[in-house]
Amino acid sequence: MEEQEATLPPKAEFSEWYNDILWRAEIMDVRYPVKGLYVWYPFGFGIRKRVYSVLRDLLDRDHEETLFPLLIPENEFMKEAEHIKGFEEEVYWVTHGGTTPLDVKLALRPTSETAIYPMYALWVRSHADLPIKVYQIVNTFRYETKHTRPLIRLREITSFKEAHTVHATWEDAEATVEDAIALYREFYSRMCVPVLISKRPSWDKFPGADYTIAVDTIMPDGRTLQIGTVHHLGDHFSKTFSICYEDVSGQQQYCYQTCYGISERSIAALISLHGDDRGLALPPEVAPVQIVIVPVIMKKREDEVVAAAAALKQELESAGYRVKVDSRDMRPGAKYYYWELRGVPLRIEVGPRDLDAGVVTAVTRFGQKSQVSRTELTAGVQTKMAEINRELSDRAEQHVKDHLYAVKDVAGLKEAVKAGVAAVHWCGDKECADRLEEAADASVLGTEVRSDLVDKEPGACVICGKPGSVMTLVGRSY
């Protein structure tokens, strides 16, 4: 067992740990022969399925799921100059159908605004048609030239959830932005992933948006990972694509729009924040296997123990849990390692002594061991699952607290961002931002920070000293 455990690098060596855990825990296979494209193992896809099931449940409250084509005609794609400028170096183009050159080149969607909005121009006629709130979960393609990394920086984003809404007024769209932020908070709370929400600076907003709100978390190495964005698009795209409605007085008005997205980076955050030196640690809600039952076999009572394990499985499955019985001919320690590596929240051991005492032995993914009465099994497991969720949340929250630094002057900036994220006062001036980024060797991430971990009081800009400056996050990002 000790030899097996040594095969996973310590999490302190995060890059090596992350790469190893993806294949050892059977999440993704990186050996596909195209750079930046990866294959989901069935176990990893099981995590994905459950993560996105949570996201769908939240969105389905007041959105409808849809599906738009992958291919976008060049003439539609090129309509919105500012938007396209943000993606022009990343687009894959289809130029032939078989051996025949196409009359119009087709882009593989890097994002779907230019695929969806020509259709909105056909769908929207009257104020009675509004609002429109739809989403899709699709693959998108971007010719990523930086260092690719599974789940984090890809050429095929396999699991891009993008919502696109249409409204009668700017204020209605703004209200949807706030709803989307609340939805993302709830989603990540269920993933036990703490987030920092902030407004991106104007030069880093989504191309064509009025403003962008970003959702970040702090990874184990102190870098930030953007795990969600919400964009208020104003009437920018509606003017480009002629998305208009007739108001109550019979006048034609341009619509206002939003879009907001989450990708499989959500799963990268889940893996990275919760895992440890022994492997994955998954919140019960998204674990493909929530409980593994390990029979502790002694020859004289083997049949009795096997029957007890089967009865446990049936009872727990009837209570709604995803359960496996590990009856493989292996040492118990090897089984423990196998399931710990895969992040199973709860292990139940049952052997002759447990049967005689009328209990089972319950061991959480973090090693807490206790006895649970056989007659109160379901209630005991429910309590354990709640404890596991709390521990995951508390550990991740503490990690973010430990890597978020209030910095009062330029001198402390560089050291802070080496270890995590700096919170500093900035006046909003681009020249000061450039000096700030140069001093930190990092980027201005966002202002108007929505987190109780960050002081909201205005102060003096650390560059120019201007009073009334807002607290701003500065850090290194993936």
Side-chain angles (χ1 to χ4, degrees):
M1 184 176 172
E2 291 177 358
E3 184 179 3
Q4 285 177 307
E5 289 178 347
T7 61
L8 187 67
K11 192 178 176 182
E13 299 170 12
F14 176 64
S15 183
E16 292 80 5
W17 176 91
Y18 180 80
N19 290 336
D20 262 30
I21 204 169
L22 289 179
W23 69 271
R24 291 191 186 279
E26 297 180 316
I27 297 165
M28 300 203 92
D29 194 325
V30 304
R31 295 172 293 181
Y32 190 75
V34 178
K35 177 181 169 64
L37 276 63
Y38 308 104
V39 178
W40 288 95
Y41 283 109
F43 185 79
F45 197 82
I47 298 171
R48 178 205 178 274
K49 180 168 69 173
R50 287 165 181 86
V51 167
Y52 278 79
S53 177
V54 173
L55 194 53
R56 277 190 167 97
D57 286 345
L58 295 174
L59 285 161
D60 286 347
R61 293 171 181 172
D62 62 349
H63 294 64
E64 293 181 295
E65 188 169 5
T66 185
L67 185 62
F68 283 80
L70 168 66
L71 298 173
I72 305 171
E74 182 182 23
N75 55 314
E76 295 293 347
F77 191 77
M78 301 304 290
K79 275 184 179 178
E80 216 308 297
E82 182 182 354
H83 179 68
I84 295 316
K85 190 175 180 181
F87 289 101
E88 61 186 351
E89 297 298 324
E90 299 180 358
V91 179
Y92 285 93
W93 290 102
V94 177
T95 60
H96 287 70
T99 59
T100 306
L102 299 178
D103 293 336
V104 178
K105 287 196 302 182
L106 301 172
L108 295 183
R109 61 176 166 233
T111 180
S112 295
E113 286 72 22
T114 54
I116 295 174
Y117 298 167
M119 300 306 298
Y120 280 176
L122 302 175
W123 292 358
V124 176
R125 285 290 174 263
S126 161
H127 62 90
D129 298 324
L130 303 175
I132 295 174
K133 299 179 76 172
V134 302
Y135 74 95
Q136 61 178 6
I137 298 174
V138 294
N139 56 349
T140 61
F141 294 83
R142 299 178 185 179
Y143 184 66
E144 181 59 65
T145 57
K146 296 179 182 178
H147 177 65
T148 56
R149 190 183 298 263
L151 300 176
I152 292 176
R153 192 168 288 282
L154 315 162
R155 289 184 171 179
E156 180 188 12
I157 302 168
T158 67
S159 312
F160 187 47
K161 188 287 300 175
E162 51 180 328
H164 295 268
T165 73
V166 190
H167 306 271
T169 68
W170 196 95
E171 290 74 19
D172 288 346
E174 183 179 42
T176 293
V177 166
E178 294 303 315
D179 289 345
I181 294 167
L183 185 149
Y184 285 0
R185 280 191 186 277
E186 186 174 353
F187 171 69
Y188 280 114
S189 175
R190 287 170 67 171
M191 299 301 105
C192 306
V193 171
V195 295
L196 298 170
I197 297 172
S198 63
K199 186 176 184 179
R200 287 286 189 249
S202 59
W203 60 86
D204 195 28
K205 67 183 180 179
F206 184 69
D210 280 7
Y211 65 85
T212 290
I213 304 294
V215 180
D216 296 292
T217 196
I218 303 178
M219 297 286 269
D221 59 358
R223 290 180 179 268
T224 64
L225 184 67
Q226 180 178 287
I227 52 176
T229 49
V230 185
H231 314 291
H232 193 310
L233 302 179
D235 60 1
H236 196 85
F237 286 91
S238 67
K239 288 179 176 177
T240 299
F241 290 95
S242 300
I243 307 171
C244 300
Y245 71 96
E246 186 178 283
D247 66 18
V248 291
S249 64
Q251 299 297 310
Q252 288 291 310
Q253 305 290 347
Y254 283 112
C255 296
Y256 294 86
Q257 296 174 256
T258 77
C259 63
Y260 33 103
I262 279 180
S263 75
E264 57 259 58
R265 282 185 168 202
S266 58
I267 298 170
L270 184 80
I271 291 166
S272 302
L273 284 172
H274 299 322
D276 59 22
D277 289 354
R278 293 186 294 175
L280 299 178
L282 298 172
E285 185 169 12
V286 298
V289 178
Q290 295 171 307
I291 302 166
V292 61
I293 298 169
V294 179
V296 181
I297 302 295
M298 294 185 179
K299 287 298 180 185
K300 288 183 180 180
R301 301 177 68 180
E302 180 175 355
D303 291 346
E304 189 180 356
V305 170
V306 168
L312 288 169
K313 181 176 188 288
Q314 184 176 15
E315 182 177 341
L316 291 167
E317 285 183 335
S318 296
Y321 292 104
R322 296 182 289 277
V323 187
K324 290 275 190 186
V325 175
D326 192 341
S327 55
R328 293 175 295 174
D329 185 18
M330 297 168 59
R331 291 178 297 109
K335 294 180 182 180
Y336 301 162
Y337 171 75
Y338 179 90
W339 294 108
E340 285 172 352
L341 178 65
R342 285 157 181 78
V344 173
L346 189 64
R347 182 175 78 241
I348 291 178
E349 302 165 14
V350 58
R353 291 181 182 176
D354 299 302
L355 295 179
D356 293 340
V359 298
V360 296
T361 300
V363 186
T364 72
R365 171 57 183 76
F366 295 113
Q368 296 97 341
K369 182 181 287 193
S370 60
Q371 306 295 315
V372 175
S373 170
R374 181 64 185 83
T375 59
E376 298 176 1
L377 177 67
T378 302
V381 166
Q382 189 175 13
T383 298
K384 293 292 178 189
M385 293 300 188
E387 290 172 357
I388 291 163
N389 259 344
R390 280 195 298 272
E391 179 151 5
L392 286 168
S393 294
D394 290 347
R395 287 179 176 221
E397 188 84 14
Q398 190 60 52
H399 166 77
V400 170
K401 287 179 181 177
D402 291 344
H403 291 81
L404 190 58
Y405 303 94
V407 176
K408 301 297 183 184
D409 52 47
V410 175
L413 202 53
K414 201 162 190 174
E415 288 303 310
V417 298
K418 280 182 181 178
V421 175
V424 301
H425 285 104
W426 168 57
C427 65
D429 182 76
K430 181 65 166 69
E431 186 177 336
C432 284
D434 291 342
R435 291 173 59 190
L436 194 61
E437 292 183 341
E438 184 180 358
D441 193 20
S443 301
V444 171
L445 300 173
T447 61
E448 301 177 24
V449 185
R450 306 185 188 199
S451 171
D452 294 337
L453 302 178
V454 177
D455 182 12
K456 310 297 192 306
E457 290 299 312
C461 175
V462 294
I463 299 297
C464 69
K466 181 180 178 180
S469 296
V470 297
M471 191 61 83
T472 302
L473 300 178
V474 178
R476 299 166 302 147
S477 300
Y478 277 96

